Amino acid sequence: MATLSGPVPAPVPVPRANRANRADRGAWSSGRLARRLPQLLLGLWLYGTSLGLMVRAGLGVNPWDVLNQGMVHHFGLSIGSWVTIIGALVLLLWIPLRQVPGIGTVGNVLILGVAMDLTLGVLDTPGNWPARIALLATGIVLNGLATGLYIGARLGPGPRDGLMTGLHRRTGRSVRLIRTGIELTVLAVGVLLGGTVGVGTVAYALAIGPLAQFFLRRFTVPEGS
């Protein structure tokens, strides 16, 4: 949801739409999806699972899920449904930015919310603090791992990451500045709608950048592979 929330690691270049298209066409035409597609799907599923773990910890969630919780509070539906709906709405913002989605982008919209709701359906919030802290830590680390897997597959960024890179390309502003602005805006709207902010929100913001960078170095598929 990389994304999804948190800073984008420096080693990953900011993609341009035409470059993403060439990468996708090359992957399909050369039959080299044997590694990339399973890695993408696993990463997206684990990402959704990690979101569910953080919600069940009950100690605060990432900014986008603060917004999703606020939407649940006011309009109903499951939090996973709002992950999907908001992902699709963000994808519409790609149109004026001339961003072109990849198969990873579409998979992000379709898979994250389902995996999150299924995780929430089988887990309850633990009754003691040590277990809740452990659940939060597991969710954050798993989110970093999932980010490395799905972005490292190089089959298209998630809707939120693509919004960031599109704004960077069109405005010339730094990725860090744009990402921070998006995250703070989403967080503020989520808080106003009644979403939960806590120590987990801060822990996620501090940890996800280093974790994503660590796992991206290990799971990014090299160009031409």
Side-chain angles (χ1 to χ4, degrees):
M1 240 153 313
T3 37
L4 292 156
S5 309
V8 171
V12 180
V14 176
R16 294 182 180 272
N18 59 353
R19 183 175 180 178
N21 284 344
R22 289 197 301 268
D24 272 352
R25 286 197 298 267
W28 284 109
S29 61
S30 63
R32 290 170 178 163
L33 288 179
R35 170 185 172 183
R36 297 170 73 186
L37 186 56
Q39 178 175 317
L40 169 72
L41 296 176
L42 176 62
L44 292 175
W45 190 266
L46 291 180
Y47 199 105
T49 299
S50 72
L51 298 180
L53 295 180
M54 287 186 280
V55 169
R56 279 292 180 248
L59 297 173
V61 293
N62 69 70
W64 285 96
D65 281 338
V66 174
L67 174 61
N68 293 326
Q69 286 182 329
M71 298 300 285
V72 171
H73 179 70
H74 281 272
F75 302 107
L77 301 179
S78 69
I79 189 170
S81 296
W82 282 109
V83 169
T84 301
I85 293 169
I86 291 177
L89 292 175
V90 170
L91 193 56
L92 293 178
L93 297 177
W94 284 33
I95 297 173
L97 297 174
R98 297 181 181 178
Q99 290 280 96
V100 180
I103 58 174
T105 312
V106 177
N108 188 293
V109 173
L110 298 177
I111 294 174
L112 296 194
V114 175
M116 185 179 189
D117 277 346
L118 286 176
T119 301
L120 292 172
V122 299
L123 286 180
D124 293 320
T125 298
N128 59 80
W129 283 98
R132 293 171 69 181
I133 293 171
L135 194 61
L136 173 66
T138 301
I140 293 174
V141 173
L142 185 62
N143 191 271
L145 169 64
T147 298
L149 286 169
Y150 99 80
I151 293 181
R154 295 184 180 273
L155 289 174
R160 300 155 187 83
D161 294 321
L163 175 64
M164 174 193 65
T165 56
L167 287 171
H168 163 75
R169 183 166 52 85
R170 293 296 296 272
T171 66
R173 302 280 182 160
S174 71
V175 169
R176 184 183 300 274
L177 177 63
I178 291 172
R179 186 55 177 258
T180 300
I182 292 173
E183 297 292 318
L184 290 177
T185 300
V186 168
L187 181 61
V189 174
V191 170
L192 291 174
L193 291 174
T196 303
V197 176
V199 64
T201 310
V202 177
Y204 182 88
L206 293 175
I208 190 58
L211 284 170
Q213 181 169 321
F214 175 83
F215 287 113
L216 275 164
R217 287 174 175 169
R218 284 151 181 80
F219 293 115
T220 296
V221 179
E223 292 281 2
S225 296

